[in-house]
Amino acid sequence: MASPGRDQRRAPSGADWERFRPIFTHLYLEDNRPLPEVMKIMREHHGLWASEKMYKNKIKQWGLRKYLKEGEAKQIMEGEVPKTSRDLDLDSLKRKAERALKRKRSRKSSQPQASPFASELSPAASSPPPSPASEAVVPYSKPTEALQTIVVPSPEGFRIASVAEQFLFNLRGWTHDAFVHGDWDVMSSNQHNRGRQASRLLSSSLTAGINLFENGKQDLAWAQWGKAFAGFQNSELFKSWYYEIPMALLFEVGRVAFSGHRQLAQLLLKSVRRWAHTFLDPKDSRHALFSVFGELEVEQLRDLYPRAARSMYDGLKTRIDKRNKLLYEVRLNRALDLLWYDPDTDLTEWLPQISEVDAVSPGLSVYFMLLQAYRLVAQDQYDEAEEICSQVQRRLTTLREIPGGIDLWRVGLAYRRLGRQQHAKGRYADARRSFNTALKYVQNNNELSKSVLIEICQRQQSMANMMQDAEDVFFWTRMLESLEQDTKAQVIEELDVSKDDDEDDIENEKLLVKRRRISPNPSRSSTPARRGTW
């Protein structure tokens, strides 16, 4: 079936979902296909256009669990079918149970075993009971036997047996050196701000590319991705000790892969490695960390991220004061990243009490509160979410009067995130309000805002269509057209399409070909090409 035109794409109705439910269930459960593959089949062969989060909501609503618990799997293998699975084919259930048990055995075998030296080194096992205090002076006498040398065994809990373990080890080394060389305690330092801006530029370009691609604007998408790749020609790209750089990079590449652009993600990993080999001293811990990026497989990124998040946080909290604002920044960012991968993930260890955050930084509390509102909307607790949003507005009114009291760009992104969730839940009036609030806060950052503004306008245009608001449809359409024209002109000016030393790389050549489509004749442009910085 041919892909529908842009004007035919619309959010599927409840009737659409029910009509395609048997097909989706067969592909997802019985054929055991991964969700991105099923989404592609549903889109290309059945004309069902929906986001990944919409699919995940339906999977949860329909109870389509792909994996069984160990007890359920054993029960099925013994011939008993749980009540929750009686509407499924028995052969399919047995195959599902076999996979679940196999996965469980694999996990158990991969867990580190207890050290055989633990009991030998235990103080309780090796130390004699304390003797009572004595006032007598006991003269020294030479021991009759030579003292034995205590040999400390190598640690058993962590072994560098794979690229993932090497990455975690190098990340801890980078964290330590960043603590020694960095300027983390001065949040307004030039080093900190340069690192933050670089991370935001990377995120902005890659995320914009994903959103534009999903909305059928492939040329603009490749233009945004091209800006990200142009940054690898900048020798200062990852040299900052800004604490977010490694985790932001790991997350952004994983997000590209998880959004269906696996080859692009693999090329990003290779580019990070090539940059490290070109611009960093091999003895530098930054060289070790960014080099190993290129050895990672795309399939590893999602499972590696939670481990890396925990590893880096553990390294930070043993090096800086526990009341340092930076620790709360890290917890917030990790919670947001993990939430993107799985809306139902347990964030208990990452989300502190608001009163605890208030004691450290009242401004930071706003972002945690908006994240809390997002989760409440996801749980259909709309009144509670609305109450939190009202509290946030009151706080923002006060904080905006304090110089440096609030990061406007970050507030805008938080409202955009909330608007996305409200849109997914069909709360269009709430979503329009959140997106308009986001628009107010992000439009002042000229370097980053265009891609975000394009997404907001696209969503506002879509909701205005659904609500049959003709004036708003016209308004957002005109604004969207203007933004897209400005973005395309800016990309043509900034994008460096000259051949570089990597052009013999097949994948990179494909990217360059796609990038050349953006500009009608880039080699004859009167504007000198400028290299990007992410």
Side-chain angles (χ1 to χ4, degrees), residues 273-294:
R273 178 183 176 86
R274 188 180 297 115
W275 177 89
H277 287 187
T278 304
F279 297 113
L280 293 176
D281 183 343
K283 297 179 181 179
D284 194 317
S285 62
R286 290 170 291 189
H287 181 280
L289 176 61
F290 295 118
S291 291
V292 82
F293 262 95

Side-chain angles (χ1 to χ4, degrees), residues 218-238:
Q218 282 81 3
D219 281 353
L220 283 176
W222 280 106
Q224 291 292 339
W225 289 331
K227 287 174 64 177
F229 278 95
F232 289 104
Q233 300 168 13
N234 177 9
S235 62
E236 300 297 317
L237 185 59
F238 301 123

Side-chain angles (χ1 to χ4, degrees), residues 135-205:
E135 296 180 0
V137 178
V138 181
Y140 170 79
S141 59
K142 186 177 180 180
T144 56
E145 296 181 4
L147 293 174
Q148 294 183 349
T149 302
I150 299 176
V151 179
V152 180
S154 59
E156 296 290 329
F158 186 89
R159 292 180 180 275
I160 301 179
S162 68
V163 175
E165 274 70 35
Q166 185 66 61
F167 177 87
L168 295 174
F169 179 78
N170 292 354
L171 178 63
R172 181 57 62 88
W174 183 95
T175 303
H176 177 75
D177 284 356
F179 166 71
V180 173
H181 295 96
D183 197 10
W184 291 349
D185 292 327
V186 184
M187 303 300 285
S188 60
S189 68
N190 290 332
Q191 177 265 344
H192 176 93
N193 289 330
R194 284 198 306 272
R196 168 173 285 190
Q197 188 73 355
S199 293
R200 287 178 171 177
L201 285 169
L202 172 69
S203 175
S204 180
S205 296

Side-chain angles (χ1 to χ4, degrees), residues 5-56:
R6 177 182 171 188
D7 57 338
Q8 293 176 284
R9 300 178 191 175
R10 58 177 178 80
S13 64
D16 291 333
W17 282 113
E18 288 303 319
R19 180 157 53 95
F20 291 114
R21 180 175 177 176
I23 301 173
F24 175 80
T25 302
H26 177 82
L27 293 170
Y28 183 69
L29 281 187
E30 297 180 22
D31 288 358
N32 195 33
R33 296 175 187 259
L35 182 57
E37 181 182 342
V38 177
M39 289 172 59
K40 183 177 180 182
I41 293 173
M42 298 301 294
R43 181 173 63 246
E44 295 181 354
H45 296 278
H46 302 285
L48 183 66
W49 289 79
S51 67
E52 185 168 347
K53 289 190 177 181
M54 293 170 72
Y55 273 103
K56 286 185 175 180

Side-chain angles (χ1 to χ4, degrees), residues 324-344:
N324 193 313
K325 178 182 175 182
L326 184 144
L327 282 179
Y328 292 88
E329 292 260 6
V330 170
R331 291 172 71 175
L332 174 66
N333 292 336
R334 298 296 77 78
L336 292 172
D337 292 350
L338 292 168
L339 192 65
W340 187 89
Y341 273 122
D342 181 4
D344 298 319

